[in-house]
Amino acid sequence: MKALVINCSPVRTGATARIAELVAEQLAARYEVHSVCIDDYQFHFCLGCRACHETAKCVQKDDVDALVAEYAWADVIVSVAPSYWADVPGQFKAFIDRCTPWCNTHEPHATIGAGKKGYAVTLRTGPSMRECLRLVESIEHFYGHMEIDCCGSLCLCSVEYREDVEGRKDEILEFCKKI
């Protein structure tokens, strides 16, 4: 089995990156793991042209196809996302928007393959669980349109810095046992 762990933050050294590292380390005992950061890929915003509704392909040529290939490769996808103004970071949202060719709301649409399982880990600096749950909803909405089965989530409040993750390590490791 293969697992993709994606750091949905452009920050490669922060709390989100540390959580993604912990998840990848834990899954490596049971899965072949690819870890990526959204910032590993360069792509443009969706043009809203709807050409993909007719062709199931985007007119733009950039790294979106390479990142979607990672999703297609994996049996399990774990998205680790921090809150940026009560939603996923703009870079990840821009990727989601560009996945319209694979979205199951129109025909024809491309596919990343069936039977994939998706998990979400969300974090925010403040204490409001509601905000973390909003991010989970965004990720699960994306998964649903990509036909990825939503299988679980972990919400971590009051996590701002990389060192804050260490105090939450047991929760993260326990969550990984469910993946």
Side-chain angles (χ1 to χ4, degrees):
M1 296 274 288
K2 302 170 190 167
L4 172 65
V5 179
I6 179 167
N7 172 0
C8 300
S9 167
V11 181
R12 298 171 186 271
T13 58
T16 307
R18 178 63 183 132
I19 294 167
E21 290 167 5
L22 285 170
V23 171
E25 289 167 6
Q26 288 302 301
L27 296 184
R30 296 177 283 138
Y31 296 96
E32 179 182 348
V33 177
H34 283 188
S35 294
V36 299
C37 178
I38 194 70
D39 200 48
D40 293 340
Y41 302 88
Q42 300 300 313
F43 50 84
H44 304 287
F45 295 115
C46 176
L47 299 172
C49 67
R50 295 181 179 252
C52 61
H53 287 223
E54 303 296 324
T55 64
K57 293 181 181 166
C58 185
V59 297
Q60 299 186 76
K61 303 297 177 217
D62 53 24
D63 288 347
V64 166
D65 288 336
L67 184 49
V68 169
E70 293 284 353
Y71 280 73
W73 170 85
D75 301 301
V76 170
I77 295 115
V78 182
S79 299
V80 184
S83 174
Y84 279 30
W85 288 97
D87 211 335
V88 296
Q91 294 86 340
F92 188 57
K93 176 61 169 82
F95 169 70
I96 291 170
D97 290 347
R98 287 290 304 283
C99 285
T100 303
W102 296 270
C103 179
N104 64 2
T105 59
H106 59 82
E107 291 296 338
H109 71 272
T111 182
I112 59 169
K116 297 180 184 303
K117 297 184 181 309
Y119 297 84
V121 179
T122 62
L123 62 142
R124 69 175 309 263
T125 61
S128 172
M129 183 59 71
R130 184 174 172 214
E131 190 171 313
C132 275
L133 292 171
R134 181 176 169 166
L135 274 71
V136 169
E137 288 176 0
S138 292
I139 293 167
E140 288 182 347
H141 183 84
F142 167 60
Y143 284 169
H145 285 297
M146 296 289 282
E147 300 181 349
I148 299 168
D149 187 26
C150 302
C151 296
S153 62
L154 173 65
C155 297
L156 301 167
C157 295
S158 302
V159 175
E160 184 169 1
Y161 300 105
R162 187 177 181 93
E163 44 282 355
D164 296 334
V165 174
E166 296 314 308
R168 309 299 288 277
K169 192 173 179 178
D170 289 344
E171 285 175 81
I172 297 164
L173 300 181
E174 193 62 33
F175 175 73
C176 289
K177 292 177 184 176
K178 300 173 188 174
I179 300 174

